[in-house]
Amino acid sequence: MAKPAYADASAYIGAQPVRLRPLLRQLRRLVRLAAPELEERILWGHPTYVRAQEKVVYFAVAGDHVNLGFFRATELHDPAGTLEGTGKGMRHVKLRRAADLDAPYLGRLVRAAVGLPYRPTR
């Protein structure tokens, strides 16, 4: 089944379960404040933040939670151990409610991801 096409992140958030919308709005605000230089796009049906042709971070509803994902997470220092996953480079943080969001820590992860040397992704 094809994912719905959303015009922008606001449309994506508005189409998600009501209980996850506050968390999604907070994540969007967090990424935009931590990395205002990134362009917000809809890729693969969810908000993705890019610089030039490099995908840096995204957020997406996944069942009963939201993933904040990092495309080059294996290159990030994550002393709190919040990043999950087993992919070659990608990892994500699972968030179930707005209260789970540690904005200072996640903001630092976003800034660190932006600070990695530029490398276009496919």
Side-chain angles (χ1 to χ4, degrees), residues 97-115:
R97 58 189 183 281
D100 294 340
L101 195 139
D102 179 349
Y105 187 76
L106 294 178
R108 285 192 298 276
L109 282 178
V110 170
R111 287 297 322 145
V114 171

Side-chain angles (χ1 to χ4, degrees), residues 40-90:
E40 183 179 79
R41 297 182 190 168
I42 298 294
L43 299 174
W44 305 290
H46 55 264
T48 303
Y49 297 83
V50 302
R51 65 174 165 190
Q53 296 303 311
E54 181 179 25
K55 296 171 234 24
V56 178
V57 64
Y58 71 91
F59 61 82
V61 171
D64 66 342
H65 66 278
V66 176
N67 286 339
L68 175 64
F70 296 86
F71 286 86
R72 294 172 58 191
T74 57
E75 299 174 54
L76 299 175
H77 180 64
D78 177 29
T82 60
L83 294 169
E84 300 180 33
T86 59
K88 184 176 178 181
M90 293 180 70

